Amino acid sequence: MVSKGPLLRLLTAINRRRMKLLVGLAFVAYVASVWGNFVNMRSLQENGDQKVESRIEEAVAPLREKIKDLEKSFTQKYPPVKFLSEKDRKRILITGGAGFVGSHLTDKLMMDGHEVTVVDNFFTGRKRNVEHWIGHENFELINHDVVEPLYIEVDQIYHLASPASPPNYMYNPIKTLKTNTIGTLNMLGLAKRVGARLLLASTSEVYGDPEVHPQNEDYWGHVNPIGPRACYDEGKRVAETMCYAYMKQEGVEVRVARIFNTFGPRMHMNDGRVVSNFILQALQGEPLTVYGSGTQTRAFQYVSDLVNGLVALMNSNVSSPVNLGNPEEHTILEFAQLIKKLVGSGSEIQFLSEAQDDPQKRKPDIKKAKLLLGWEPVVPLEEGLNKAIHYFRKELEYQANNQYIPKPKPARMKKGRTRHN
Ligand SMILES: NC(=O)c1ccc[n+]([C@@H]2O[C@H](COP(=O)([O-])OP(=O)(O)OC[C@H]3O[C@@H](n4cnc5c(N)ncnc54)[C@H](O)[C@@H]3O)[C@@H](O)[C@H]2O)c1
């Protein structure tokens, strides 16, 4: 037997230490590799998580924007509305309230704090004109034709439903007659049933082609009962007759506003009357067409003046007819030149042959409104025209961008040519 010498023992001890060291190193390496893998996996996972998160964020961001928009639309901002106590707040019906004048009247009465119900069949009116009130607790919009009876509870009725511009009322003369006759009877019947006061939006057209100038309320008019405009002129005349029959026979409180030419934003693009015609022609660089010599006169009021007059009349004790118009008279040629200047248009003025039945003069006598209502127009012509020009410019832009602008169908052509209205 060979005995283990001190050298061998030394070598064995060294090997053992090496072994231990090696094992230790191997263990450390193992732990390090496990840790490394763990760290790698974690960072991979974190990277993955980040990617997923950023994808989710990408998908969610537009939804978040949509929710914000929805929130905004739910908390829609209405124009400021006064608070009226129960005793001062009235329930008001406006027939034709989605039209040009009716929508401005809606704005005024809503902002004054009343409860407003608009009834309209949207023949010439547009929801767009009153959309800023939709959803408001004081506002109601009903799609209804006044030729059919209506059963609601109201305190006041502004009866405006009727096409107003010649292309619109001549489009279907029988319907115009029905609206102004049967429609007015229905509204007077409603006023009688619920004890409401009714204001009729009558017109200066009840004076026809006037033989007196300016026209005051005592003038009985000069209307051709079988002419192309008779459906409107005579329709309004008989509507006035109906109001006074209901007043005398049934004690219904009536107010009759004889409205003269009015202009402003929300007029129809194809209104066909001189202000809108000239503005549109000037904006589109087309010639401004003047029928005849252009010496015929017209007077135009801005829509806010009319609305103030209608409200003043409704709340007055004046039951006989009252003219509401602006007596500032201008020749058609002056209007053409002024509009051309305000638009900054290079359009020429084109003279066409004189139109049939074109009234030579049209100007309201508003002494009665001044005296009994304390009302008179206050908006200067140029200021009103600038607002109307701004509105028509925007409408043309919408049209150019192919945005939907509803238009009444064009008038069927009748004998006789276009004339200044
Ligand atoms: N704008 C003027 O210069 C003027 C001048 C004189 C009188 N008026 C009278 O003022 C009133 C309003 O005129 P506007 O210029 O606002 O006209 P508009 O055509 O813009 O408004 C008339 C409204 O009545 C609605 N309507 C028509 N027939 C209806 C029916 N059968 N049932 C329910 N709704 C109906 C239309 O859809 C429209 O919203 C009319 O009665 C008109 O005769 C206006």
Side-chain angles (χ1 to χ4, degrees):
M1 280 269 301
V2 182
S3 68
K4 290 180 189 171
L7 187 64
L8 187 63
R9 275 204 303 275
L10 182 67
L11 281 173
T12 313
I14 289 171
N15 278 345
R16 244 190 247 133
R17 264 197 224 137
R18 265 199 197 146
M19 277 302 286
K20 276 186 190 165
L21 193 67
L22 275 174
V23 169
L25 281 173
F27 181 71
V28 168
Y30 173 74
V31 168
S33 84
V34 167
W35 177 251
N37 281 343
F38 177 69
V39 168
N40 264 350
M41 273 171 64
R42 274 201 61 175
S43 74
L44 273 175
Q45 197 178 343
E46 271 169 13
N47 277 346
D49 284 355
Q50 273 171 5
K51 273 186 192 156
V52 171
E53 266 173 27
S54 73
R55 278 205 199 131
I56 290 174
E57 186 53 38
E58 267 171 34
V60 164
L63 292 176
R64 204 173 277 140
E65 286 306 308
K66 277 193 182 149
I67 289 169
K68 271 189 203 157
D69 288 347
L70 270 175
E71 277 172 355
K72 263 189 224 155
S73 71
F74 277 125
T75 51
Q76 189 185 340
K77 301 236 179 332
Y78 297 105
V81 166
K82 262 189 225 160
F83 176 79
L84 283 185
S85 66
E86 196 70 31
K87 89 175 161 40
D88 295 325
R89 193 167 62 239
K90 295 206 162 51
R91 297 160 305 171
I92 300 176
L93 167 64
I94 306 178
T95 72
F100 159 52
V101 176
S103 61
H104 287 280
L105 180 62
T106 301
D107 290 350
K108 158 98 179 125
L109 295 171
M110 281 295 295
M111 290 196 274
D112 282 351
H114 297 290
E115 288 172 20
V116 176
T117 300
V118 162
V119 158
D120 208 296
N121 71 349
F122 302 108
F123 172 54
T124 51
R126 297 182 295 186
K127 281 197 188 125
R128 211 175 93 189
N129 289 343
V130 289
E131 70 179 356
H132 47 286
W133 294 114
I134 289 174
H136 193 285
E137 57 183 4
N138 286 354
F139 181 75
E140 188 79 47
L141 176 62
I142 303 176
N143 186 340
H144 177 86
D145 193 312
V146 292
V147 169
E148 303 298 329
L150 179 70
Y151 301 96
I152 56 171
E153 291 293 327
V154 285
D155 306 308
Q156 293 186 338
I157 303 169
Y158 287 86
H159 180 38
L160 272 62
S162 165
S165 77
N168 293 328
Y169 67 64
M170 286 183 198
Y171 170 68
N172 185 344
I174 296 171
K175 181 64 197 237
T176 302
L177 275 167
K178 282 186 180 170
T179 297
N180 279 297
T181 55
I182 304 171
T184 302
L185 277 181
N186 281 333
M187 292 308 113
L188 283 163
L190 172 65
K192 179 188 150 195
R193 274 195 305 278
V194 300
R197 182 180 287 181
L198 180 141
L199 180 147
L200 172 72
S202 186
T203 170
S204 56
E205 299 290 336
V206 298
Y207 301 126
D209 192 359
E211 297 142 314
V212 302
H213 186 77
Q215 298 82 50
N216 69 30
E217 293 84 349
D218 295 330
Y219 178 53
W220 288 357
H222 181 223
V223 175
N224 175 359
I226 55 169
R229 304 160 69 95
C231 59
Y232 180 71
D233 302 0
E234 297 290 15
K236 289 286 185 185
R237 284 168 70 94
V238 78
E240 285 195 11
T241 310
M242 287 169 173
C243 285
Y244 292 109
Y246 265 78
M247 184 177 92
K248 283 173 198 141
Q249 193 176 322
E250 305 291 348
V252 172
E253 286 191 46
V254 296
R255 304 287 180 263
V256 173
R258 289 190 180 150
I259 302 171
F260 282 68
N261 275 333
T262 308
F263 72 98
R266 303 189 193 146
M267 278 179 97
H268 303 275
M269 292 290 275
N270 63 346
D271 179 84
R273 282 176 279 190
V274 68
V275 170
S276 54
N277 277 359
F278 283 167
I279 294 179
L280 283 167
Q281 288 168 336
L283 284 171
Q284 294 174 108
E286 292 168 5
L288 275 66
T289 45
V290 169
Y291 296 95
S293 62
T295 51
Q296 319 89 301
T297 65
R298 293 292 182 273
F300 290 96
Q301 71 182 324
Y302 188 66
V303 65
S304 61
D305 282 333
L306 170 62
V307 163
N308 290 335
L310 291 174
V311 174
L313 176 60
M314 172 64 103
N315 296 309
S316 75
N317 55 9
V318 185
S319 58
S320 54
V322 177
N323 286 343
L324 295 178
N326 191 329
E328 191 184 313
E329 202 179 3
H330 291 276
T331 66
I332 294 288
L333 190 56
E334 280 166 3
F335 271 117
Q337 283 158 343
L338 178 60
I339 288 171
K340 207 169 109 81
K341 185 189 97 186
L342 293 177
V343 169
S345 161
S347 295
E348 59 178 90
I349 294 176
Q350 193 178 44
F351 292 89
L352 301 177
S353 52
E354 199 166 326
Q356 184 198 339
D357 286 350
D358 202 7
Q360 287 307 301
K361 283 172 177 236
R362 182 64 69 70
K363 169 180 168 169
D365 177 335
I366 58 163
K367 280 192 211 91
K368 189 170 174 182
K370 272 190 190 170
L371 187 72
L372 300 181
L373 308 179
W375 172 89
E376 63 182 313
V378 293
V379 179
L381 180 65
E382 285 200 15
E383 188 185 318
L385 282 175
N386 277 329
K387 287 183 181 164
I389 289 166
H390 175 76
Y391 158 78
F392 279 115
R393 189 171 267 135
K394 284 259 164 262
E395 290 293 288
L396 285 174
E397 273 171 25
Y398 293 146
Q399 232 173 28
N401 295 334
N402 279 335
Q403 291 193 21
Y404 175 59
I405 297 176
K407 279 185 164 187
K409 291 171 194 142
R412 286 183 203 137
M413 282 317 290
K414 297 279 172 191
K415 279 187 206 137
R417 291 184 294 271
T418 324
R419 39 170 269 182
H420 292 299
N421 290 287

